[in-house]
Amino acid sequence: MEFDYPAEWTVKDRGAEATPGGVFLEVLTAAGKLLATLRTNVATGSECTQRIPYSVLDLVPVPALAQQGVTPHFIFELRLYPAEKDPLKANVMAYGISSAPKPSGPDACPIFHYFTWPPSGASFGGVYNPFDTSPGNEPNVDTPEAYMETSEYKDIRKMITSLRPAGQ
């Protein structure tokens, strides 16, 4: 697989920590902020033990990764845990590629960003933390809607949706 990313970002190979026969990469900003991880040869099954309120903030098909008639999609989504007192744990926001059916109705399972890729599955995505104050972050980006307008988010979306089989 291959993908495009801004020249100032770096890709760190963590292959020694990958599942057997798989790939594990991290994509980082020039300041070292983790933006996304790519893993292949991962198990994709999960059980929905709790349904919670959600929002889909962005959704884009990724046809280059279609498998067995299913086209995965890039999704940026939010889950709300109303009983949680810690704001970071109460509002979980993440972006990535998913082959799972798009959520519908008032609630959804926890975020599950995995897509079908031989021999089992893969993941490519990351988490948005509005409370992150690490160097290089754009100031005052405290809502997912505001974050979606930043160059960082636009570059992440472009990078993740560019994922494709090598040579295509």
Side-chain angles (χ1 to χ4, degrees):
M1 302 185 88
E2 60 187 14
F3 58 92
D4 305 319
Y5 58 94
E8 64 274 9
W9 291 1
T10 59
V11 175
K12 182 179 177 183
D13 185 351
R14 297 196 45 196
E17 300 169 60
T19 56
V23 170
F24 178 16
L25 303 173
E26 292 180 332
V27 181
L28 306 126
T29 65
K33 176 184 174 185
L34 177 62
L35 298 174
T37 60
L38 171 64
R39 293 177 184 254
T40 63
N41 204 21
V42 297
T44 59
S46 75
E47 187 175 319
C48 185
T49 59
Q50 176 187 19
R51 296 188 64 86
I52 47 182
Y54 77 97
S55 294
V56 173
L57 304 161
D58 196 3
L59 188 69
V60 179
V62 185
L65 301 177
Q67 294 286 315
Q68 302 165 351
V70 175
T71 299
H73 48 271
F74 167 85
I75 189 167
F76 180 32
E77 55 189 326
L78 161 70
R79 296 293 188 276
L80 300 172
Y81 295 85
E84 182 61 55
K85 301 297 183 226
D86 179 346
L88 186 57
K89 295 177 184 174
N91 300 288
V92 177
M93 294 170 262
Y95 46 81
I97 298 175
S98 177
S99 292
K102 297 167 197 83
S104 63
D107 53 26
C109 297
I111 294 174
F112 185 69
H113 290 163
Y114 294 97
F115 60 97
T116 304
W117 194 255
S120 56
S123 67
F124 192 25
V127 175
Y128 167 59
N129 176 359
F131 304 104
D132 184 359
T133 58
S134 59
N137 276 352
E138 295 186 37
N140 305 313
V141 180
D142 58 358
T143 68
E145 293 81 7
Y147 182 60
M148 289 172 58
E149 296 302 317
T150 66
S151 58
E152 180 180 280
Y153 177 79
K154 290 175 183 177
D155 286 342
I156 288 169
R157 181 180 188 250
K158 188 175 183 180
M159 173 186 67
I160 292 175
T161 60
S162 77
L163 186 65
R164 61 199 177 274
Q168 288 190 8

